[in-house]
Amino acid sequence: MSIEVVMPQMGESITEGTVSKWLKQVGERIERDEPLLEISTDKVDAEVPSPGAGILLEIRTQENETVEVGTIVAVIGDETSVSQQSANGGEQTEVKTESEPPAESSAVVAEPLTSESIDEQPKLNSGQSTTKDGPATEVVMPQMGESITEGTVSKWLKALGDTIDKDEPLLEISTDKVDAEVPSPAAGKLLAINVQEGETVEVGSVLALVGTEGSNTVSGEQKAVVSQPVSAQPVTPAPMPEQMPEPVTPPVQAMAATATPGGQNGNATVDDLRKTKSSPLVRNIAKEHGIDITRIPGSGLSGRVTKGDILSFIETGAALRPQDLLVKGAAGIAGPSASKTQTQYAAPQSVATMDDRVEKMSLMRKKIAEHMTFSKQTSAHVTSVYEIDMTNVAKFRTKNQEEFQSLYGTKLTFMPFIFQAVTAAIREHRIVNSQLDGDQIVYKGDINIGMAVALDWGLIVPVIKNAGSLSLSEFAKTANDLADRARTKKLMPDEVQGGTFTITNPGVFGGLFGTPIINQPQVAILCVGTIEKRAKVLTSADGDDYVAIRQMAYFALTYDHRVVDGADAEKFLAYLKGYLESAPFSL
């Protein structure tokens, strides 16, 4: 029997990959999950493990050759296949015996994880184990987005022994993108909880077992599901009379298993992964420039640093900052001795006292910290502030809010007016709706507005998609719906992705204005201050000055000065001011 190795899909937007290096030669033996080749895409560099054990019979894609996702790049077989291939003058023939499984079984192992299978999660995210009283369904950590590799169990909604219906919420999970409830994939009784609250595990890890009434023992063979991303690191269940079978590992998820020898990925830190499992190309670039990879927030699998990550890091000039002199000095490039530099630039250590309360950062808080730090290292932040008269908006809102509530069943706040005004301003000044890709500026065709929502446990930015096609009432309904579902952990992964411009509103808490950090890879973010009555000097039609009470607010635009000039920012804010102060709004 032979097994086909295919180019895996490394994300829903990835359509092709390049073979950067073969780690085995034709005729060499390879074990299941042993690294077989290295591939490179525009998102990530990664090792591809072998989907099965055997002899490397054929290499169909050479190094530096780019092929589409799903293309067969190699064939692996057993000694029988090798003998048969030799007997046929090198032509491969698949030899089957009566003891071999049908061809479909090897296809399950070789088939890559696709975006379609991700979309079905978490409901299809389960396999089955056999218990002494009947089948038990595995509940696994779902993949809540193409870049998500792990999740944290924040709360179990059911206890051991509780009965649960299919699709009834079973637990709450937290990732760096979204908090969400995971429904039960089957009806039955909660037989086992393998991951405790607060624990972080990889996507596909078995979290729990749901089975028939009275089932309490796991045995038998686990069945693989094509759409199931099973974890390369099996989660150790609670002690049971029989040992839970080890999960099958499809190719894409198996990449995380190579993080440490023996597949003990659970013992590897993010820094270990960045150092040891980034591609050879990335490690060579880091060595050449004297960069410590662990300082770079990686966007690859399990936080690994990709080629794009390290090149962006170098372009920002971060590699030349004082804290890097230690590395450069050791490499003979520049700087004082290692020990002296380390002492000079060491961060002060926090000293806890008895009255202090120490609390571990949540996964969301850690990801926010990493993202904010990375953004400050990447973009040249500048902020411009305008004072805008919101009286025009306030009068329209007061006049129409009761009718709006009765028509649409939701409140009419100030934000829909701001969303509409920002969308109009972006149409006229597309530079603030762009992104930087190396030395190219990408002007985004869609206007997708991210709206920062403050939660009790952090901050999340759901995205209003295709804002350019929405009316005032549609802005209001969409924004209120996203905010409500953000606070109740009901958002879907794609609802927090794809933003092109972000608006944050600290004014709701009374803040006058702020200087927010840009939401990468965007180039601008608008901060809305509190809207309040102030005395304002106005000029009559006759040219006379007078003082009036007006509804005023400060609007602060933080922008990436690498892309957006001060004049561009000023023109954008001036357009926004004119629109809000004089536009004839309608429902």
Side-chain angles (χ1 to χ4, degrees), residues 258-529:
T258 61
T260 55
Q264 300 299 316
N265 193 31
N267 297 327
T269 66
V270 173
D271 286 352
D272 292 334
L273 290 171
R274 289 173 181 165
K275 281 182 179 178
T276 62
K277 298 316 300 175
S278 293
S279 70
L281 175 61
V282 172
R283 294 198 294 272
N284 287 337
I285 294 174
K287 182 178 179 181
E288 178 183 347
H289 290 268
I291 297 173
D292 180 1
I293 291 181
T294 62
R295 287 198 54 229
I296 306 175
S299 62
L301 291 173
S302 300
R304 298 172 190 176
V305 177
T306 67
K307 178 183 177 182
D309 294 334
I310 194 167
L311 291 180
S312 296
F313 184 78
I314 293 171
E315 287 176 3
T316 63
L320 301 178
R321 290 171 184 169
Q323 53 264 50
D324 287 308
L325 293 178
L326 171 61
V327 179
K328 288 186 173 291
I333 299 175
S337 64
S339 59
K340 182 178 179 181
T341 307
Q342 190 172 22
T343 302
Q344 185 176 355
Y345 296 109
Q349 297 297 311
S350 173
V351 179
T353 66
M354 290 183 62
D355 295 331
D356 294 344
R357 181 171 65 89
V358 179
E359 183 179 282
K360 186 176 181 180
M361 292 177 73
S362 66
L363 176 65
M364 174 178 280
R365 178 53 54 194
K366 286 191 290 185
K367 294 300 182 182
I368 290 173
E370 290 177 2
H371 194 60
M372 295 298 97
T373 303
F374 174 68
S375 182
K376 290 292 285 186
Q377 292 176 342
T378 300
S379 296
H381 284 64
V382 180
T383 302
S384 295
V385 182
Y386 265 49
E387 186 180 36
I388 297 179
D389 189 339
M390 296 291 288
T391 307
N392 176 48
V393 174
K395 287 181 177 179
F396 182 90
R397 175 175 172 268
T398 301
K399 180 180 178 181
N400 294 279
Q401 57 187 350
E402 289 186 8
E403 179 186 356
F404 189 89
Q405 178 77 42
S406 63
L407 283 175
Y408 302 106
T410 190
K411 294 180 180 179
L412 180 61
T413 68
F414 281 99
M415 291 310 295
F417 299 91
I418 296 171
F419 292 140
Q420 189 173 72
V422 165
T423 302
I426 287 175
R427 286 199 191 98
E428 298 298 320
H429 305 281
R430 305 294 298 195
I431 189 65
V432 299
N433 199 56
S434 67
Q435 294 176 6
L436 191 60
D437 182 13
D439 60 355
Q440 296 180 322
I441 300 175
V442 180
Y443 292 82
K444 304 301 290 184
D446 293 331
I447 301 175
N448 299 330
I449 298 179
M451 43 175 277
V453 177
L455 309 173
D456 292 338
W457 57 93
L459 181 77
I460 197 166
V461 186
V463 178
I464 301 174
K465 302 289 180 69
N466 301 313
S469 63
L470 301 183
S471 64
L472 184 67
S473 59
E474 288 170 330
F475 271 121
K477 290 186 292 182
T478 302
N480 291 345
D481 172 62
L482 287 172
D484 290 342
R485 288 192 291 113
R487 297 185 181 101
T488 55
K489 302 181 180 180
K490 301 291 185 183
L491 289 175
M492 298 302 294
D494 63 345
E495 292 177 320
V496 293
Q497 297 175 350
T500 60
F501 184 95
T502 297
I503 299 176
T504 182
N505 181 23
V508 71
F509 302 107
L512 288 178
F513 66 88
T515 56
I517 297 175
I518 296 167
N519 187 11
Q520 298 293 326
Q522 299 166 27
V523 298
I525 179 172
L526 182 70
C527 180
V528 180

